[in-house]
Amino acid sequence: MGSMPEPVNVTRVLVVGGAYGGLSVALNLQDLCRGLPPRCGEKPTDDEQVVVAQFALDITIVDERDGYYHTIGSPLALASEAFAEKCWVKYDEIPALQSPDIRVLQGSVKSVDPERKVASYVGHGSTETTELQYDYFVAASGLRRVWPVVPQSLRRKQYLFEAGDHIRAVTAAKHGVVIVGGGAVGIEMAAELKLVHPHLTVTLVHSRDKLLSSESLPDEVKDRSLDLLRDAGVDVLMSHRLERTEKTTDDAGGTCLRVHFTNGHAMLADNVVMAVSRSVPSTTYLPHSALDEEGYVKIQANLTFPPTTPNPPTTSPSATSSAGRAKRCGAAMHMGYFAAHNIHQHMQLQQQQQRLGKDDSPPRAQEQKTETETEPKRPQYLELKEIPPMIGLAVGKQAVLTGPRGA
Ligand SMILES: Cc1cc2nc3c(=O)[nH]c(=O)nc-3n(C[C@H](O)[C@H](O)[C@H](O)COP(=O)(O)OP(=O)(O)OC[C@H]3O[C@@H](n4cnc5c(N)ncnc54)[C@H](O)[C@@H]3O)c2cc1C
């Protein structure tokens, strides 16, 4: 009689948010658990032999959208219908996610009970709450952003209408379009509109005397951004605070808007686009004890929830944190990689403890190649360092970049 195959225990990982941070966690963890070098980690040299502990995984990604939305492309997607098509890819069309160990659910996570390791979610278009059990929980739900900073649609089809309607409305403007807000979003939005529609009069107005006034960046970067914006053909009004708009008629009897500023200046425009960012953390589903007063996760350097949260070592949030907010997509992917690495380290620790008899539950791994049975290896957690201020701004055909060398 042949021997019975050992039952394979599968580790369940629940990731909230399928954007830069969430996909980075899922795919790096999948690499590691397959014994491969993680795609965002350092590449091993040809003569370096890397042996990585393998585990069977069941990753569930929950996102409110039906696809991956490339948020950083928003300013161009809201200027060009052709680009808008490329900016949102449905999850079932992303080759890397078509794997038996990854499933993507469209819906909204509403609460998490770390004690029971259960999250509740409501599927898109449903009113029913479903429970999802997990072994590891990852919060990668980023920020909630208003229109027109990002589209508000949850389905690609609806998003294309939303972007198309906006583009047609702003580009039909005879008297031009006024963008309010000289932060990164307003600057890029104004520059992309002017680049794609050179005939359009685009005016950017900002209430302060420097662009990017809420960013802790050197003045040189702020001044350079203003120069590039003007070079790109955008009219820029500094120290202009929007007071109100009123419908009026122009000399030809056409309807347009009169835009009034608190300094007494007024101008005609057909459209006013508010690029004043009011983004808030999407963390309402997390226990209060894990959040600071603004709603950001009180993240630990190794990306776990604070020790006051039950089971903190088995929960690894990425992307929303008070220590290093993912204000850049690269930082979100980096945090996702760290979270994946640390979960993988914790999985090995648990497996060792089970093998040494500290835990009665069955082993989770399919295979373990790196450690001996008697000498437990301490987990090598990666720790996040403070992310220094940096920015990369596309201003028409030019760009402004700043940050520490090598960042
Ligand atoms: C207009 C604009 C331009 C930008 N330009 C740049 C740039 O040029 N370079 C740069 O580095 N960075 C840029 N950024 C910043 C960058 O977009 C963010 O750093 C990045 O999006 C953070 O990624 P994330 O994965 O943490 O979160 P997000 O991109 O915010 O994604 C979070 C995901 O979670 C989902 N979600 C939220 N709540 C729930 C819930 N309860 N249940 C299920 N799903 C949920 C959302 O649908 C979303 O898909 C820009 C941002 C904006 C708005």
Side-chain angles (χ1 to χ4, degrees), residues 17 19-21 63-65 72 109 141-142 145 319 326-329:
Y20 305 96
D63 200 290
E64 293 175 352
R65 299 182 176 127
I72 80 169
V109 169
S141 47
R145 304 178 174 95
K327 288 184 90 176
R328 294 180 69 236
C329 61

Side-chain angles (χ1 to χ4, degrees), residues 73 208 224 330:
R208 306 297 181 89
R224 193 77 191 110

Side-chain angles (χ1 to χ4, degrees), residues 40-363:
C40 291
E42 275 183 28
K43 298 281 163 282
T45 54
D46 287 345
D47 50 348
E48 212 178 334
Q49 176 123 39
V50 182
V51 183
V52 184
Q54 297 181 31
F55 295 86
L57 271 183
D58 174 9
I59 302 177
T60 301
I61 300 168
V62 183
D63 200 290
E64 293 175 352
R65 299 182 176 127
D66 72 358
Y68 169 82
Y69 180 62
H70 184 42
T71 300
I72 80 169
S74 283
L76 184 53
L78 295 178
S80 156
E81 288 195 64
F83 187 75
E85 289 267 351
K86 298 180 194 160
C87 236
W88 184 307
V89 184
K90 289 180 74 173
Y91 290 118
D92 56 15
E93 289 170 11
I94 298 177
L97 299 179
Q98 310 316 307
S99 162
D101 50 11
I102 297 183
R103 67 173 169 155
V104 185
L105 301 176
Q106 190 187 359
S108 184
V109 169
K110 298 295 180 194
S111 65
V112 184
D113 180 348
E115 196 104 49
R116 288 171 55 229
K117 295 192 178 181
V118 166
S120 72
Y121 100 105
V122 176
H124 178 75
S126 164
T127 49
E128 237 172 79
T129 302
T130 309
E131 286 205 333
L132 296 166
Q133 292 187 321
Y134 62 82
D135 298 303
Y136 292 90
F137 179 86
V138 181
S141 47
L143 299 182
R144 216 164 269 290
R145 304 178 174 95
V146 296
W147 169 261
V149 175
V150 294
Q152 303 294 298
S153 307
L154 299 177
R155 289 166 50 237
R156 184 175 187 275
K157 203 171 167 186
Q158 189 192 350
Y159 146 78
L160 290 174
F161 286 120
E162 190 182 5
D165 288 349
H166 172 78
I167 294 165
R168 280 186 294 280
V170 291
T171 55
K174 260 197 329 223
H175 298 282
V177 55
V178 171
I179 315 266
V180 181
V185 174
I187 293 173
E188 289 202 346
M189 210 179 247
E192 299 293 15
L193 268 174
K194 189 67 191 174
L195 181 71
V196 182
H197 307 279
H199 67 279
L200 191 68
T201 303
V202 180
T203 307
L204 180 82
V205 299
H206 189 55
S207 56
R208 306 297 181 89
D209 61 356
K210 294 251 183 242
L211 293 176
L212 300 164
S213 47
S214 60
E215 303 280 348
S216 42
L217 293 168
D219 277 357
E220 192 191 347
V221 174
K222 302 177 180 182
D223 295 341
R224 193 77 191 110
S225 304
L226 177 60
D227 294 343
L228 292 190
L229 207 48
R230 287 186 167 143
D231 286 354
V234 174
D235 297 335
V236 187
L237 300 177
M238 301 303 299
S239 306
H240 274 60
R241 185 179 291 278
L242 179 71
E243 186 181 58
R244 65 193 163 90
T245 59
E246 60 176 343
K247 273 199 178 152
T248 186
T249 45
D250 61 19
D251 294 344
T255 316
C256 61
L257 296 173
R258 186 177 300 279
V259 185
H260 295 269
F261 300 96
T262 51
N263 60 8
H265 180 69
M267 64 183 284
L268 294 185
D270 290 298
N271 261 291
V272 174
V273 176
M274 300 300 291
V276 186
S277 187
R278 272 183 237 104
S279 306
V280 291
S282 318
T283 50
T284 45
Y285 56 87
L286 286 172
H288 287 302
S289 61
L291 305 177
D292 68 13
E293 61 289 348
E294 288 179 82
Y296 287 93
V297 180
K298 288 190 276 191
I299 207 167
Q300 307 297 289
N302 66 3
L303 288 158
T304 56
F305 285 123
T308 47
T309 315
N311 292 315
T314 60
T315 51
S316 268
S318 91
T320 48
S321 80
S322 33
R325 287 172 193 168
K327 288 184 90 176
R328 294 180 69 236
C329 61
M333 289 187 278
H334 177 71
M335 291 164 85
Y337 159 57
F338 272 28
H341 171 94
N342 291 352
I343 290 173
H344 185 249
Q345 289 291 311
H346 192 264
M347 286 162 85
Q348 292 174 69
L349 176 71
Q350 282 217 309
Q351 185 190 57
Q352 276 185 348
Q353 288 175 341
Q354 285 157 5
R355 285 190 173 173
L356 293 172
K358 289 188 184 158
D359 188 324
D360 291 340
S361 53

